[in-house]
């Protein structure tokens, strides 16, 4: 990685972002991607105490569904910390993630409309559950980055007009291109360069050490926090390696 890097956001909201990073090697870009998926801890339900379950679904199936409900994850939680969530719903009704009541107001279901079980007349679901920090490398329910990927930034060179007998066939390109210093998403011209440069002869080349990241979180944290925490895990691991080499 170079000493200087630059980040430019193309799209950005609470849960998803698309941004350009310049000045990083392919290995470092992939390290960031892997860290966002595997190394940033999130809270997830780990154990369930069923008080009453008269639904048609086994306790274990209910527990599995609860474990996959994303929970907001405060910065101050540690691996041994627990937060308890409870639910008590009686049919006829659908039990949703929003019916979970947390012992810590900072920890809430990231989405309130995740269905857990449809309860018929006379059926009831009452239970308590403990949530704990975990890592995506250990279980998929702790993957805060649910969709994380990157592509090389690409540059288009226009050489001139095509010959009279050359077909203007589709030239498909994905992601983002750099055009006269501007960033243009390929979706703007249906990913087809022949629409962007009709009748022109073009070549496509990758911009060295420049990558477009697409990141989406499960709502357990903002996309900004996910990226920053992922980079911090890389820094800490590098420091640990440096200390080990010096011994």
């Amino acid at each position: 990685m170079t000493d200087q890097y630059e980040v430019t956001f193309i799209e950005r909201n609470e849960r998803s972002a698309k941004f350009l990073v310049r000045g990083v090697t392919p290995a470092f870009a992939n390290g960031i991607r892997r860290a966002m998926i595997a190394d940033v801890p999130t809270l997830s339900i780990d154990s369930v105490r069923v008080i009453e379950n008269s639904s048609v679904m086994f306790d274990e199936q209910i527990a599995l569904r609860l474990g996959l409900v994303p929970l907001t994850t405060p910065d101050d939680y540690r691996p041994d910390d627990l937060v308890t969530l409870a639910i008590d719903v009686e049919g006829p009704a659908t039990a949703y993630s929003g019916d979970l009541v947390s012992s810590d107001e900072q920890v809430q279901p990231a989405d309130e409309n995740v269905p857990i079980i449809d309860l018929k007349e006379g059926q009831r679901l009452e239970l308590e559950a403990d949530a704990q920090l975990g890592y995506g490398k250990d279980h998929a329910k702790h993957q805060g980055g649910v969709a994380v990927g990157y592509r090389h930034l690409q540059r288009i060179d226009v050489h001139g007009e095509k010959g009279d007998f050359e077909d203007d066939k589709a030239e498909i390109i994905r992601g983002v291109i750099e055009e006269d210093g501007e960033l243009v998403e390929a979706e703007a011209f249906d990913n087809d360069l022949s629409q962007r440069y009709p009748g022109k002869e073009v070549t496509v080349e990758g911009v060295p050490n420049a990558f477009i990241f697409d990141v989406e979180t499960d709502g357990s944290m903002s996309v900004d926090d996910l990226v920053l925490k992922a980079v911090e895990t890389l820094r800490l691991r590098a420091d640990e390696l440096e200390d080990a080499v010096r011994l």
Side-chain angles (χ1 to χ4, degrees):
M1 187 176 68
T2 62
D3 292 335
Q4 299 294 324
Y5 60 89
E6 177 186 343
V7 178
T8 303
F9 279 91
I10 301 168
E11 298 175 2
R12 187 181 192 179
N13 57 50
E14 186 71 11
R15 290 201 186 185
S16 64
K18 181 180 293 185
F19 54 92
L20 165 65
V21 182
R22 298 182 189 267
V24 297
T25 64
F28 189 78
N30 191 47
I32 295 174
R33 181 192 68 86
R34 292 176 64 90
M36 282 190 277
I37 294 172
D39 294 334
V40 178
T42 67
L43 284 168
S44 183
I45 289 175
D46 190 59
S47 62
V48 174
R49 296 178 295 279
V50 177
I51 300 169
E52 180 178 345
N53 176 21
S54 52
S55 73
V56 297
M57 190 171 288
F58 293 126
D59 294 350
E60 293 82 0
Q61 292 174 301
I62 297 288
L64 174 62
R65 290 193 173 190
L66 290 171
L68 295 176
V69 174
L71 302 174
T72 55
T73 303
D75 290 334
D76 57 353
Y77 266 69
R78 297 295 176 259
D80 294 333
D81 292 340
L82 292 177
V83 58
T84 299
L85 298 100
I87 189 169
D88 186 358
V89 178
E90 187 171 352
T94 299
Y96 288 97
S97 54
D99 295 315
L100 289 164
V101 179
S102 175
S103 62
D104 185 346
E105 63 179 11
Q106 297 182 92
V107 180
Q108 301 292 337
D111 291 297
E112 295 186 349
N113 58 350
V114 178
I116 299 170
I117 183 66
D118 187 23
L119 299 169
K120 305 302 182 184
E121 182 73 37
Q123 296 178 344
R124 184 182 181 193
L125 177 65
E126 183 182 4
L127 56 80
E128 292 182 347
D130 292 331
Q132 196 168 4
L133 281 179
Y135 293 87
K137 60 188 175 185
D138 297 322
H139 197 292
K141 68 181 181 180
H142 292 293
Q143 289 183 359
V146 293
V148 182
Y150 65 90
R151 294 177 181 271
H152 279 278
L153 176 64
Q154 294 178 304
R155 182 185 297 119
I156 309 300
D157 287 332
V158 181
H159 302 293
E161 301 291 337
K162 286 186 175 180
D164 292 338
F165 301 101
E166 291 187 55
D167 293 332
D168 195 14
K169 61 182 180 181
E171 298 178 73
I172 302 301
I173 186 171
R174 305 290 181 185
V176 175
I177 64 172
E178 187 174 37
E179 183 182 61
D180 298 327
E182 297 291 328
L183 300 177
V184 179
E185 294 192 60
E187 293 177 356
F189 47 88
D190 293 329
N191 302 301
D192 184 357
L193 287 177
S194 64
Q195 293 188 28
R196 185 73 176 176
Y197 310 100
K200 301 291 186 180
E201 182 181 349
V202 300
T203 58
V204 181
E205 61 180 12
V207 179
N209 296 331
F211 301 91
I212 300 291
F213 280 84
D214 277 288
V215 180
E216 181 180 349
T217 81
D218 63 354
S220 56
M221 64 189 68
S222 69
V223 68
D224 290 17
D225 286 342
L226 179 67
V227 175
L228 291 174
K229 289 179 180 180
V231 173
E232 178 66 11
T233 65
L234 292 179
R235 186 189 69 79
L236 292 174
R237 290 166 67 182
D239 289 345
E240 290 174 359
L241 178 60
E242 183 180 13
D243 292 341
V245 170
R246 288 177 175 173
L247 293 178

